[in-house]
mmCIF file of all heavy atoms in Angstrom:
data_model
loop_
_atom_site.group_PDB
_atom_site.id
_atom_site.type_symbol
_atom_site.label_atom_id
_atom_site.label_comp_id
_atom_site.label_asym_id
_atom_site.label_seq_id
_atom_site.Cartn_x
_atom_site.Cartn_y
_atom_site.Cartn_z
ATOM 1 N N LYS A 60 -2.907 -7.327 -12.369
ATOM 2 C CA LYS A 60 -3.614 -8.271 -13.223
ATOM 3 C C LYS A 60 -2.669 -8.999 -14.173
ATOM 4 O O LYS A 60 -3.046 -10.004 -14.814
ATOM 5 C CB LYS A 60 -4.658 -7.571 -14.054
ATOM 6 C CG LYS A 60 -5.804 -6.988 -13.215
ATOM 7 C CD LYS A 60 -6.815 -6.209 -14.068
ATOM 8 C CE LYS A 60 -7.922 -5.604 -13.251
ATOM 9 N NZ LYS A 60 -8.929 -4.857 -14.081
ATOM 10 N N TRP A 106 7.889 -6.670 -15.909
ATOM 11 C CA TRP A 106 7.666 -5.261 -16.146
ATOM 12 C C TRP A 106 6.589 -4.745 -15.227
ATOM 13 O O TRP A 106 6.682 -3.688 -14.587
ATOM 14 C CB TRP A 106 7.261 -5.006 -17.609
ATOM 15 C CG TRP A 106 6.957 -3.605 -17.960
ATOM 16 C CD1 TRP A 106 7.789 -2.626 -18.364
ATOM 17 C CD2 TRP A 106 5.616 -3.042 -17.912
ATOM 18 N NE1 TRP A 106 7.070 -1.428 -18.555
ATOM 19 C CE2 TRP A 106 5.771 -1.677 -18.319
ATOM 20 C CE3 TRP A 106 4.340 -3.523 -17.596
ATOM 21 C CZ2 TRP A 106 4.702 -0.795 -18.388
ATOM 22 C CZ3 TRP A 106 3.274 -2.626 -17.646
ATOM 23 C CH2 TRP A 106 3.404 -1.304 -18.011
ATOM 24 N N LEU A 117 5.025 6.036 -4.560
ATOM 25 C CA LEU A 117 4.182 7.189 -4.568
ATOM 26 C C LEU A 117 2.987 6.974 -3.622
ATOM 27 O O LEU A 117 2.459 7.936 -3.053
ATOM 28 C CB LEU A 117 3.613 7.474 -5.992
ATOM 29 C CG LEU A 117 4.652 7.767 -7.027
ATOM 30 C CD1 LEU A 117 4.025 8.010 -8.421
ATOM 31 C CD2 LEU A 117 5.481 9.066 -6.677
ATOM 32 N N LEU A 137 -8.068 16.365 21.797
ATOM 33 C CA LEU A 137 -7.888 15.658 23.000
ATOM 34 C C LEU A 137 -6.969 16.407 23.986
ATOM 35 O O LEU A 137 -6.303 17.376 23.606
ATOM 36 C CB LEU A 137 -7.341 14.271 22.773
ATOM 37 C CG LEU A 137 -8.227 13.388 21.847
ATOM 38 C CD1 LEU A 137 -7.473 12.074 21.518
ATOM 39 C CD2 LEU A 137 -9.523 13.038 22.540
ATOM 40 N N CYS A 139 -4.089 15.897 27.367
ATOM 41 C CA CYS A 139 -3.216 15.027 28.202
ATOM 42 C C CYS A 139 -2.828 13.752 27.467
ATOM 43 O O CYS A 139 -2.253 13.749 26.398
ATOM 44 C CB CYS A 139 -3.838 14.743 29.573
ATOM 45 S SG CYS A 139 -4.246 16.230 30.489
ATOM 46 N N ALA A 147 2.092 10.677 19.212
ATOM 47 C CA ALA A 147 3.126 9.616 19.067
ATOM 48 C C ALA A 147 2.775 8.697 17.933
ATOM 49 O O ALA A 147 3.650 8.287 17.140
ATOM 50 C CB ALA A 147 3.240 8.866 20.375
ATOM 51 N N ILE A 164 12.788 -2.009 -1.980
ATOM 52 C CA ILE A 164 14.148 -2.042 -2.530
ATOM 53 C C ILE A 164 14.661 -3.457 -2.573
ATOM 54 O O ILE A 164 15.269 -3.924 -3.566
ATOM 55 C CB ILE A 164 15.101 -1.162 -1.665
ATOM 56 C CG1 ILE A 164 14.747 0.301 -1.809
ATOM 57 C CG2 ILE A 164 16.558 -1.440 -2.043
ATOM 58 C CD1 ILE A 164 15.513 1.235 -0.916
ATOM 59 N N TYR A 216 -16.698 18.725 15.382
ATOM 60 C CA TYR A 216 -16.094 19.476 14.278
ATOM 61 C C TYR A 216 -17.103 20.536 13.777
ATOM 62 O O TYR A 216 -18.283 20.292 13.795
ATOM 63 C CB TYR A 216 -15.719 18.555 13.093
ATOM 64 C CG TYR A 216 -14.478 17.789 13.348
ATOM 65 C CD1 TYR A 216 -14.463 16.383 13.530
ATOM 66 C CD2 TYR A 216 -13.217 18.409 13.330
ATOM 67 C CE1 TYR A 216 -13.361 15.657 13.754
ATOM 68 C CE2 TYR A 216 -12.054 17.689 13.579
ATOM 69 C CZ TYR A 216 -12.102 16.331 13.794
ATOM 70 O OH TYR A 216 -10.983 15.629 13.983
ATOM 71 N N SER A 220 -16.211 21.912 8.102
ATOM 72 C CA SER A 220 -15.423 20.735 7.684
ATOM 73 C C SER A 220 -16.271 19.752 6.812
ATOM 74 O O SER A 220 -15.713 18.872 6.188
ATOM 75 C CB SER A 220 -14.928 19.967 8.921
ATOM 76 O OG SER A 220 -16.022 19.423 9.645
ATOM 77 N N ILE A 235 -14.528 3.689 -6.621
ATOM 78 C CA ILE A 235 -15.343 2.483 -6.726
ATOM 79 C C ILE A 235 -15.925 2.307 -8.152
ATOM 80 O O ILE A 235 -15.871 1.199 -8.717
ATOM 81 C CB ILE A 235 -16.482 2.485 -5.669
ATOM 82 C CG1 ILE A 235 -15.885 2.397 -4.260
ATOM 83 C CG2 ILE A 235 -17.462 1.344 -5.903
ATOM 84 C CD1 ILE A 235 -16.895 2.586 -3.154
#
Side-chain angles (χ1 to χ4, degrees):
K60 293 178 181 179
W106 176 88
L117 299 178
L137 300 172
C139 303
I164 291 174
Y216 283 111
S220 66
I235 292 173

